[in-house]
Each structure stands twice: as C-alpha cells, then as structure tokens.
C-alpha cells in the first residue's frame, strides 16, 4: 500500500512561474548553467546551482554554494516571488511536448515506502552524486526537484484528474523556451481523500527518473529522524516531493551510445565479428531502429541495421533481454572491449532528444562509431524493478523533463 500524501507547496506567484521554472540541475554543466542563470535571473537554476551566482574560482561543492542557495531562496520568499499555500493539496502537473500530453499528480511520497521497497528502483546510485543534493536539501530545508514516479494507470485517478482539469482554471499555463507547455492545477476538498485512498490501494510505485534525487531526499529524512529520535512519522521530513504519472502516458526515448575507437579492429574485421550475433545490412540513409532487437549503427559515413539473431531474442531474463544489454554483452564488451560502461572513458551516451545527427557528429569527430537504440519500454522497466534487479546504466531517457521550482516541499 503506497502512502502518497498532499502537502502545502511553496510555489511561484503566477506572474513569475514561467521565469522561475527550470530544467533539472543535472542536465547542465557549469558553463551551461551559468549561461542560463545569466539569461533569466529568476530561474530556479540560480538556487539549484548557486555556484552560478559566485565567482568561477569557487568550487561547485563549497560550503558557500549551499549557503548562497539558502540565501536566494529566503530572499525570493520575502520578495513575493514565491508564495506558500496554507492548506494540504495535491497538484496536477501536465506537460505537453510535440502535441503529446502527460498528466501527473504532484504529492509527497513516503520515506518508509522507499526503504521497504513499496517504491521500486531500477538503477544504482553513486554516493558522490548524492552528497550534493543531500547538502542542498538539508541547507534549504526543502526539496526543490520532484522525483519522477510511475504507477500502473487507474481509471479512478484519471477520472478525478480529468474532472479537475475540466472544471478549474489552472494555476499556471505557460510554454517554456524549449517549446514544452506546462500547466498546474490545485486539488483540494473531498477529492484529496479520494486520491489518497486510490494510491493506498496501489501495491507498488516505481522511480522512472531521479534515482539520485530520491536517494538524497530519503537520506536527509533518515538523518532528520536520527536527529529527532522522538519523531512520530507525521513530520514533513518523512516524505519527499514527487510527481506520479500513469504508465500509459509515459514516453521513454532512446538512450544511445558512441564509442571512441574499434579496439584495434579494422572496419572489415569489426563488421565480420558483429555478424556473429547480428545480421548486418547497409542502410540508404540515417534511420532509427523500428522494433525491439534492432540497433542502427553509424560507422565511417555509413548507417547499418543490426538485427539481433534468434538466439539473442529468445533470452527471457528481464535485464539480459534488454536491447542495451544485448548490445553491451554481444558487441560492446566482446568486440570493442567496453568491460564496464559505467567507468570506461571510451564510451559516451547520447540522449535520444539530440537526434541521429548528434550520433553522426560524434562518430565523425571525437568518437568513431555510434549506435542508435530502440527505446526501452515502461513495461520492461517495471519488469526489471519487479524482479528486484537493476538496469544497465543509461537505459532510459524520459522526455519531457519535470521543471524544478514550480512546486517545492518544505521540511
């Protein structure tokens, strides 16, 4: 039974929402973050990545970065850039990209549900990546970047959401500079209890995106529990900010690979070895794979279709049968010598949002060969998580990205 509770959000005043809303902190490098913060001084990125407000000589993880984030957050509260709701509510968060919408419910998920496995994971996290967000949440005393959760769609929840959308004017309705539209509604009254009961009937929810943010939020909660041994479970630090989406509205894009060299092979010997596990055919132009078991490859100015052979397609293990696993286990590792894609400096990963042209550009430039993947499905993600297993790194790329700063959970 999932505990998904309403909360009193800190959120931008309506006139500032489009300026405050920011892409997640980790989609930018420092130079890109600085440029975006300079472009829009009210962007929440200025708080999420407060090093943008300091001299470039200041280390990204210096104490003064987190202190600056807190200072800016409190300043914008005082200035009225942010307002704070005074009643518990759920919030509907709808995103539209290229004519496709996905509609989720912003709420607080339970630290205990994360710890006991009711909230299921499919990725490992790295402690060094967690430490930054742990300090950020702890210093601000607030969670500012929602965790992207998924659940198996329920008609009862959809009906409530659709009713609110039909009857109410949104709190926010704007289109961001990247063309993605964002709309937010507030749910109060008797529908709050109805939604809470619907989620209580769900056995499991799943982290779709944001494993490091989730782990960091949970660790702050556990730290606060240790600091307050008399806690009773109702404190806000027992919960973390999330947006929950029904699985049938989600789109996972391809997460592609590009490799620096052919590991000593000639083009001819490499293609010959690839054909041991894949049927290889030349393509007339750039193309995405059209079904599971296919990969398209760009090498030396030519696109190829790689079709996994029947013995690979008959694998039933939920992790080993993933297309990213087939490529890793039967091509990248045995032929190109990529033993561990997490640590190898010979491989890089390219989100599908960047298109096939980016794969060509990399292979023609600093890399050598690129691979376009067929997207992992949400069903495959659920199957891996249900089996208690972990996906290979960079298996899923979710679009559109949730914005930070639109809904904030104070601890």
């Amino acid at each position: 039974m999932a505990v998904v509770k309403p909360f009193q959000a800190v959120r931008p005043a309506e006139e500032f929402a489009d300026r405050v809303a920011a892409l997640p902190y980790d989609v930018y490098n420092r130079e890109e973050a600085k440029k975006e913060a300079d472009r829009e001084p009210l962007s929440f990125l200025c708080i999420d990545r407060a090093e943008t407000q300091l001299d470039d000589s200041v280390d990204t993880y210096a104490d003064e970065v987190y202190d600056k984030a807190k200072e800016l957050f409190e300043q914008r509260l005082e200035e009225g850039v942010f307002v704070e709701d005074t009643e518990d509510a759920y919030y509907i968060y709808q995103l539209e990209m290229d004519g496709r919408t996905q509609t989720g419910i912003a709420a607080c998920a339970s630290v205990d549900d994360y710890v006991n496995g009711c909230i299921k994971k499919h990725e490992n996290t790295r402690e060094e990546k967690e430490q930054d967000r742990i300090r950020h949440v702890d210093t601000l005393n607030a969670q500012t970047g929602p965790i992207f959760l998924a659940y198996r769609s329920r008609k009862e929840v959809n009906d409530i959401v659709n009713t609110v959308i039909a009857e109410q004017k949104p709190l926010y309705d704007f289109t961001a500079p990247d063309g993605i539209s964002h709309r937010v509604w507030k749910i109060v009254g008797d529908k709050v209890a109805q939604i809470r009961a619907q989620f209580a009937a769900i056995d499991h929810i799943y982290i779709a995106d944001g494993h490091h943010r989730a782990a960091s939020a949970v660790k702050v909660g556990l730290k606060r529990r240790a600091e307050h041994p008399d806690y009773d479970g109702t404190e806000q630090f027992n919960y973390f900010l999330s947006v929950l989406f029904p699985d049938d509205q989600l789109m996972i894009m391809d997460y592609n690979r590009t490799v620096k060299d052919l590991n000593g092979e000639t083009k001819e010997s490499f293609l010959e070895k690839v054909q041991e596990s894949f049927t290889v055919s030349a393509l007339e132009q750039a193309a995405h794979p059209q079904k599971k078991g296919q990969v398209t490859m760009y090498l030396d100015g030519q696109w190829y279709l790689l079709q996994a052979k029947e013995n690979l397609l008959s694998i039933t293990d939920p992790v080993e049968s993933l297309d990213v696993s087939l490529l890793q286990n039967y091509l990248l590792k045995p032929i190109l010598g990529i033993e561990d894609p997490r640590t190898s400096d010979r491989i890089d990963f390219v989100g599908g949002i960047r298109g096939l042209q980016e794969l060509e550009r990399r292979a023609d430039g600093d890399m050598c060969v690129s691979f376009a993947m067929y997207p992992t499905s949400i069903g495959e993600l659920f199957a891996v998580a249900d089996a208690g297993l972990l996906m290979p790194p960079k298996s899923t790329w979710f679009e559109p990205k949730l914005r930070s700063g639109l809904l904030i959970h104070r601890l």
Side-chain angles (χ1 to χ4, degrees):
M1 158 175 137
V3 176
V4 177
K5 106 182 177 60
F7 69 110
Q8 298 174 14
V10 174
R11 54 187 181 82
E14 184 179 1
E15 65 268 30
F16 299 123
D18 60 334
R19 298 180 62 190
V20 168
L23 283 165
Y25 71 95
D26 52 0
V27 306
Y28 299 99
N29 61 33
R30 183 164 182 162
E31 182 182 353
E32 292 167 340
K34 179 85 169 175
K35 189 178 296 184
E36 176 62 15
D38 288 344
R39 182 194 70 80
E40 177 47 81
L42 281 186
S43 169
F44 199 79
L45 193 63
C46 300
I47 296 172
D48 250 351
R49 296 283 297 272
E51 71 271 20
T52 60
Q53 309 302 297
L54 302 169
D55 188 81
D56 289 348
S57 63
V58 176
D59 184 81
T60 301
Y61 308 114
D63 290 347
E64 60 198 281
V65 172
Y66 304 98
D67 292 338
K68 185 65 175 179
K70 181 179 181 181
E71 174 193 324
L72 280 173
F73 182 46
E74 293 178 348
Q75 177 185 322
R76 291 183 184 174
L77 277 164
E78 290 173 10
E79 293 171 347
V81 173
F82 291 108
V83 297
E84 188 162 8
D85 286 340
T86 56
E87 58 185 334
D88 282 350
Y90 292 108
Y91 300 82
I92 297 170
Y93 184 7
Q94 184 178 80
L95 303 96
E96 183 175 346
M97 174 183 173
D98 298 332
R100 187 187 65 84
T101 61
Q102 62 184 54
T103 307
I105 293 179
C108 285
S110 163
V111 165
D112 286 325
D113 283 353
Y114 181 96
V115 172
N116 66 29
C118 178
I119 297 175
K120 294 195 171 189
K121 305 173 278 289
H122 66 265
E123 283 184 9
N124 266 328
T125 56
R126 299 208 313 268
E127 187 174 354
E128 66 271 21
K129 287 187 68 176
E130 294 172 14
Q131 286 304 314
D132 167 52
R133 286 303 101 177
I134 288 172
R135 294 188 65 189
H136 194 271
V137 171
D138 209 20
T139 304
L140 265 66
N141 199 37
Q143 297 152 353
T144 61
I147 314 307
F148 188 152
L149 299 179
Y151 64 95
R152 290 183 172 87
S153 185
R154 293 178 71 85
K155 180 181 182 300
E156 297 86 352
V157 177
N158 296 338
D159 288 346
I160 295 170
V161 167
N162 291 335
T163 299
V164 172
I165 289 175
E167 295 178 350
Q168 293 181 204
K169 179 179 180 289
L171 298 175
Y172 311 128
D173 185 353
F174 64 90
T175 300
D178 59 4
I180 296 171
S181 297
H182 302 264
R183 289 177 285 273
V184 175
W185 293 262
K186 185 177 178 180
I187 303 176
V188 292
D190 59 354
K191 291 182 176 62
V192 169
Q194 293 170 21
I195 289 175
R196 193 163 193 164
Q198 285 300 321
F199 280 110
I202 294 175
D203 289 332
H204 298 291
I205 51 182
Y206 301 80
I207 299 178
D209 201 11
H211 281 78
H212 284 92
R213 288 194 296 278
S216 302
V218 168
K219 286 185 176 179
V220 171
L222 296 176
K223 175 176 176 285
R224 296 288 178 93
R225 287 180 174 185
E227 293 167 352
H228 301 87
D230 57 342
Y231 78 93
D232 62 12
T234 62
E235 300 85 358
Q236 293 302 315
F237 58 69
N238 293 291
Y239 302 91
F240 58 92
L241 180 64
S242 306
V243 183
L244 300 99
F245 290 93
D247 62 334
D248 54 5
Q249 293 187 24
L250 298 180
M251 179 179 73
I252 303 177
M253 295 187 74
D254 41 312
Y255 212 153
N256 304 312
R257 281 89 169 110
T258 186
V259 179
K260 193 165 288 187
D261 56 68
L262 295 183
N263 196 32
E265 301 288 343
T266 65
K267 175 183 171 181
E268 292 72 25
S269 65
F270 168 69
L271 288 172
E272 186 176 332
K273 289 187 175 181
V274 170
Q275 290 179 77
E276 294 174 11
S277 298
F278 299 86
T279 301
V280 180
S281 52
L283 295 170
E284 294 183 1
Q285 59 188 15
H288 290 279
Q290 296 301 301
K291 61 181 181 179
K292 182 171 170 55
Q294 289 185 348
V295 179
T296 55
M297 177 179 73
Y298 181 75
L299 172 65
D300 194 23
Q302 173 68 55
W303 279 94
Y304 298 87
L305 173 65
L306 311 186
Q307 172 65 58
K309 292 187 175 179
E310 197 58 42
N311 62 308
L312 274 62
L313 296 178
S314 63
I315 296 171
T316 58
D317 180 277
V319 173
E320 299 303 313
S321 62
L322 295 171
D323 281 6
V324 290
S325 296
L326 298 181
L327 185 73
Q328 174 62 31
N329 295 338
Y330 295 93
L331 194 158
L332 296 180
K333 181 177 179 180
I335 304 174
L336 294 183
I338 307 294
E339 294 289 333
D340 186 350
R342 289 182 180 84
T343 58
S344 175
D345 60 1
R346 295 174 50 238
I347 189 169
D348 200 3
F349 303 90
V350 180
I353 194 73
R354 295 182 178 270
L356 296 177
Q357 297 83 357
E358 179 67 8
L359 293 179
E360 292 181 353
R361 188 187 73 80
R362 295 297 301 275
D364 290 338
D366 62 322
M367 306 301 265
C368 175
V369 57
S370 292
F371 303 90
M373 308 302 300
Y374 187 71
T376 302
S377 72
I378 193 72
E380 288 176 316
L381 185 155
F382 282 2
V384 170
D386 284 339
L389 301 173
L390 299 173
M391 282 190 170
K394 314 297 185 184
S395 295
T396 56
W397 180 281
F398 283 90
E399 286 288 346
K401 302 293 185 190
L402 305 181
R403 280 351 191 222
S404 295
L406 274 183
L407 297 164
I408 296 167
H409 174 226
R410 299 252 271 186
L411 303 188

